[in-house]
Amino acid sequence: MKLTTKNDINVFKLEGSILQDESEKLDLYFSELIESQENKIIVDMTDANHICSMVLGQMVFYKKKLNSNHGDIKLVIIDEDLLELFDITLLNRVFEIFSNLDEAVSAF
């Protein structure tokens, strides 16, 4: 997991299988960003192929928190299985999902 910044937007790059042990690190990153009033976040999952339910729950929690502070989390997903997961769970109605990072950045 890597955290970078692009055009004042914080970008989390997730790779491979995102399992429960990654949730603590992700929780720490989200908490620090919200405390420092950073309210534009993109989670880039172009190199991810699996995400556990705990991490999905965290992302929903922090999206709600950011929305209440006029912020947002946008996702970049290209993996068909992940896209299907977001469709089945109806999380594609909660998150804006883009096919590349530039589109997600432009959406802000």
Side-chain angles (χ1 to χ4, degrees):
M1 181 180 327
K2 299 175 190 171
L3 177 62
T4 59
T5 304
K6 182 171 183 167
N7 297 348
D8 83 332
I9 300 168
N10 293 285
V11 179
F12 288 107
K13 177 79 170 174
L14 305 180
E15 299 172 339
S17 293
I18 312 308
L19 303 175
Q20 187 172 349
D21 59 334
E22 294 283 329
S23 68
E24 288 182 30
K25 189 185 297 184
L26 194 63
D27 188 47
L28 180 64
Y29 283 148
F30 275 121
S31 296
E32 288 175 356
L33 290 175
I34 289 171
E35 284 178 28
S36 64
Q37 302 298 313
E38 299 287 337
N39 62 359
K40 296 178 186 175
I41 298 173
I42 295 173
V43 179
D44 182 353
M45 292 188 264
T46 54
D47 293 331
N49 55 25
H50 175 80
I51 187 167
C52 77
S53 59
M54 178 176 261
V55 173
L56 286 175
Q58 281 181 310
M59 289 176 25
V60 171
F61 172 78
Y62 283 112
K63 179 172 176 59
K64 287 181 180 181
K65 212 168 187 182
L66 283 165
N67 284 348
S68 68
N69 291 323
H70 307 290
D72 201 6
I73 296 174
K74 299 185 186 305
L75 308 178
V76 180
I77 303 173
I78 58 173
D79 183 88
E80 290 298 322
D81 291 335
L82 284 179
L83 288 168
E84 185 176 350
L85 172 67
F86 277 80
D87 186 44
I88 289 169
T89 59
L90 301 178
L91 289 175
N92 60 343
R93 296 181 182 180
V94 174
F95 294 97
E96 285 183 89
I97 300 174
F98 300 89
S99 59
N100 65 61
L101 184 58
D102 290 335
E103 288 177 2
V105 169
S106 295
F108 276 108

